[in-house]
Amino acid sequence: MTRPRRAPPLDREARRLKIIERVTPLLAARGAAVTTRELAAAAGVAEGTLFCAFEDKHSLLMAVIGHRLDPRPLREKLARFVGDETLDAGLVGVANVVLPSITDVYPLVVALHGLADPARESQVRGQGAIREWLGAVSDAVVAVTTPHAAELRVTPARFSHMFSTLLFASRMPHLAAEDRASAEDIVRFCLWGALKSPQEG
């Protein structure tokens, strides 16, 4: 009788990634207050195994933030809207990609600020990941608006700042779902303002 073959053990990076993926929802829900026991349970491993893959809880939390806020996939998704025929179509495309992600990003940002050692190297990297993620959004808006710069009253960079600010403000956690502006609402407001045009009556 032959014994069933055991699955090959995961290498360290694969094990780290699996743990990161499993604990991300818990981190988003519990923030920096999450315990190592909770993290190990979510990852499906013993606490000792958890810290064979990560130095400590702080390092694990920073790894989760860095993984979730990797700007490269976001940049790839946003790049397809550069060169759209109309400015509003390009901006709506960007907004429809960014808005769902913001809901996931907010709890991680809160968790990052809840950690106790802002000077620690891994936390500095986490803060850098947030800046890079935000930068990916800003760069995409600039790229979409630059071909239409002559149509704007402000520079593409200035428009990007205001548009991105409104995107993030529209998904503040305390807002009820029914109070959240749609991508179309946000684009319309940024391009045409709050006043009705004479044609709208």
Side-chain angles (χ1 to χ4, degrees):
M1 179 177 178
T2 59
R3 294 182 179 179
R5 296 180 63 183
R6 297 179 61 183
L10 296 174
D11 63 36
R12 187 169 187 270
E13 283 308 309
R15 185 182 303 112
R16 283 168 57 91
L17 180 58
K18 192 171 184 179
I19 290 171
I20 286 170
E21 290 172 344
R22 287 181 173 179
V23 304
T24 296
L26 177 63
L27 174 59
R30 295 273 288 117
V34 67
T35 67
T36 57
R37 179 176 295 180
E38 290 171 329
L39 288 167
V45 299
E47 289 185 61
T49 302
L50 193 68
F51 296 118
C52 286
F54 297 92
E55 179 183 347
D56 52 22
K57 184 178 85 168
H58 189 286
S59 298
L60 172 55
L61 299 188
M62 289 300 97
V64 169
I65 289 170
H67 177 73
R68 183 61 188 82
L69 298 182
D70 182 351
R72 290 171 295 183
L74 180 63
R75 288 186 184 277
E76 291 174 4
K77 291 179 182 178
L78 295 177
R80 67 178 185 265
F81 302 109
V82 177
D84 271 3
E85 290 185 9
T86 63
L87 178 56
D88 57 343
L91 291 174
V92 168
V94 169
N96 276 325
V97 169
V98 173
L99 288 173
S101 299
I102 293 173
T103 304
D104 298 331
V105 167
Y106 263 125
L108 298 179
V109 174
V110 172
L112 177 64
H113 288 293
L115 296 172
D117 192 356
R120 187 166 175 170
E121 181 183 354
S122 58
Q123 186 152 344
V124 172
R125 288 198 303 270
Q127 292 165 342
I130 292 173
R131 285 192 294 271
E132 288 184 25
W133 196 91
L134 296 174
V137 176
S138 178
D139 291 347
V141 177
V142 169
V144 167
T145 55
T146 294
H148 305 273
E151 304 169 48
L152 300 174
R153 288 187 295 170
V154 295
T155 65
R158 182 64 175 163
F159 180 88
S160 176
H161 174 75
M162 293 187 288
F163 184 70
S164 300
T165 298
L166 190 53
L167 285 180
F168 286 96
S170 75
R171 292 301 182 269
M172 292 291 286
H174 67 276
L175 291 175
E178 61 269 19
D179 294 329
R180 293 177 174 178
S182 68
E184 291 79 7
D185 290 337
I186 293 170
V187 170
R188 191 179 303 116
F189 185 86
C190 281
L191 291 181
W192 308 112
L195 295 177
K196 291 183 178 180
S197 68
Q199 292 79 11
E200 292 177 293

